[in-house]
Amino acid sequence: MENLKNKQDRIYLTGFMGTGKSTAGAYLSRVTSRRVIDTDSLIEKETGMSIAEIFKLHDEAYFRKLERSVLTSTFQLQNVIIATGGGLPCYKDNMKLINANGISVCLMARPDVIISRLSFEKNIRPLLMGEDRIDKLNLLMQKRVYYYISADILVDTSDKSIDEIVKYICAEAGIKK
């Protein structure tokens, strides 16, 4: 693995939905005194629509273009943590761009843990709408794993506390708290 010190200005949290990107981003922000940015929140702010509304009114390709635009806008930022949407690294060459412009951290979890975490949310994620949520989840994970595993740092969040996750990220990325 290349020296991550050169890429420390931007920490990109990637991974499947429900793996803890938003939670880890907020905690990592407090521990490191870095600002945290959520790409989905930026898209919602820019469009004035929720992610679900964007998917309802447009197609996934339209949403992925919005994600790409938000991603490239982060490349000049310094001292930030960027929590990406679950599919952002899997569109075109986004993961290569993330790796070139910061430290990429992929949060992972077992499918049963993800389903459990998502069951606490009031809104069903657009890509998991309908019947057979577990089958859809497994299929999406299989399609995306190639992109996720190319991250600089991989963390299984299934059985770890948020404190353990953030300590691991800081240690692996060489970030002092």
Side-chain angles (χ1 to χ4, degrees):
M1 187 182 311
E2 71 180 81
N3 185 343
L4 299 181
K5 287 237 181 253
N6 302 335
K7 304 192 309 180
Q8 285 183 340
D9 276 341
R10 288 164 297 284
I11 307 294
Y12 289 91
L13 299 178
T14 68
F16 205 77
M17 63 183 94
T19 56
K21 296 181 301 290
S22 297
T23 303
Y27 195 90
L28 192 57
S29 173
R30 282 194 305 272
V31 168
T32 63
S33 300
R34 290 175 180 232
R35 181 171 49 131
V36 67
I37 296 167
D38 184 284
T39 59
D40 283 350
S41 295
L42 286 178
I43 290 169
E44 289 178 338
K45 188 175 181 180
E46 282 184 15
T47 64
M49 292 184 279
S50 70
I51 302 301
E53 289 172 317
I54 294 169
F55 270 82
K56 188 184 256 185
L57 295 173
H58 303 281
D59 58 7
E60 185 177 357
Y62 175 81
F63 176 71
R64 299 298 174 203
K65 287 177 186 172
L66 293 173
E67 278 187 320
R68 173 97 168 187
S69 175
V70 166
L71 173 63
T72 59
S73 75
T74 67
F75 296 158
Q76 74 279 355
L77 301 176
Q78 294 183 331
N79 211 30
V80 295
I81 298 152
I82 300 111
T84 69
L88 186 147
C90 311
Y91 181 73
K92 295 194 177 187
D93 62 346
N94 285 352
M95 194 63 190
K96 286 181 183 175
L97 291 174
I98 289 170
N99 283 333
N101 287 281
I103 297 174
S104 59
V105 178
C106 180
L107 304 182
M108 302 171 297
R110 295 186 314 269
D112 62 304
V113 172
I114 291 171
I115 290 291
S116 175
R117 289 175 182 170
L118 294 179
S119 69
F120 292 107
E121 294 183 356
K122 59 183 174 187
N123 296 322
I124 296 174
R125 303 290 180 112
L127 292 177
L128 294 182
M129 291 281 203
E131 300 295 316
D132 302 322
R133 288 178 67 195
I134 293 175
D135 290 341
K136 287 182 179 182
L137 176 97
N138 284 323
L139 184 61
L140 267 176
M141 287 179 81
Q142 288 171 12
K143 286 181 179 179
R144 293 179 176 181
V145 71
Y146 167 79
Y147 299 96
Y148 293 153
I149 63 171
S150 65
D152 295 314
I153 300 167
L154 303 173
V155 186
D156 187 341
T157 66
S158 299
D159 300 312
K160 288 183 178 66
S161 70
I162 190 63
D163 190 55
E164 291 171 314
I165 293 164
V166 168
K167 281 181 181 174
Y168 183 80
I169 292 169
C170 288
E172 290 294 307
I175 296 170
K176 293 181 179 142
K177 299 187 276 179

